[in-house]
Amino acid sequence: MFRIGDEYRIFCSGNCNRRDFIVSYLEKRGVKSVVLPVDGHEHIYVVFPKTQYNPMFKIKTVIAHYDRFEGSPGANDNSSADFALMEWAVSLMKSGRQHNVRLIFTDGEEIGGAQGGTVSSQGAFALLLCSDD
C-alpha cells in the first residue's frame, strides 16, 4: 500500500521553504539544479549532463510550479507534481541514458492570490494526508 512519506508532509507544511527543499532533495540524490532569478521569482532548473541530450531529437520541457498561496499547504496538483518531477529527475539521472527532457520548477504561478484572491480561488486547498492510524 502506498503511503505519503514524511518528506511530502514537510514539503506541504506551512513553514517549508519549498525552493530550498527541492534543491536539497535533488542534491541529496545526485541531481544538480540551479536557481534562476527572473523578475523577483526564483525558478529551479534541473541540470542533466550534456551526454543525456541528443541533438537529433527535440527537447521536451516539463514544468510544475512550487509556489503556493500564502498560508496554504499548496494545491495538491502541483505539490504532487513537484514530487513526481523530483523523483523523475533522480530516475533520469541514474539511468545515464539520453532522454532530451528539461525539467523546470517555476515560482510565481499563484501570484493572482496575492492581488486579492482567496485560497479557494487559487485552487490551493488543504491536502488530505494519509495517517498511519
Side-chain angles (χ1 to χ4, degrees):
M1 179 175 159
F2 176 77
R3 295 198 187 275
I4 295 174
D6 289 337
E7 289 179 313
Y8 188 77
R9 293 176 199 276
I10 293 167
F11 187 68
C12 293
S13 70
N15 61 351
C16 179
N17 179 321
R18 291 161 75 108
R19 183 207 60 222
D20 290 350
F21 183 98
I22 293 169
V23 170
S24 175
Y25 187 95
L26 294 172
E27 184 179 322
K28 287 177 187 175
R29 290 157 180 82
V31 180
K32 183 181 177 190
S33 64
V34 294
V35 176
L36 304 171
V38 178
D39 292 333
H41 301 287
E42 296 179 308
H43 309 295
I44 303 165
Y45 179 79
V46 177
V47 180
F48 293 110
K50 290 182 180 185
T51 56
Q52 290 188 312
Y53 293 93
N54 183 335
M56 290 178 47
F57 301 103
K58 292 182 179 181
I59 292 177
K60 284 90 45 198
T61 302
V62 182
I63 299 172
H65 72 91
Y66 70 86
D67 65 311
R68 58 184 163 180
F69 188 83
E70 189 173 338
S72 82
N76 62 1
D77 61 344
N78 272 295
S79 293
S80 298
D82 290 332
F83 255 80
L85 290 187
M86 286 186 279
E87 282 299 311
W88 192 30
V90 172
S91 177
L92 289 172
M93 183 65 79
K94 286 182 179 178
S95 78
R97 297 184 308 211
Q98 293 179 335
H99 52 73
N100 282 30
V101 172
R102 178 180 0 201
L103 296 178
I104 303 171
F105 298 88
T106 63
D107 178 27
E109 195 271 346
E110 300 289 357
I111 197 165
Q115 299 168 351
T118 63
V119 171
S120 61
S121 71
Q122 291 298 302
F125 299 104
L127 297 169
L128 298 175
L129 299 177
C130 297
S131 69
D132 294 325
D133 298 341

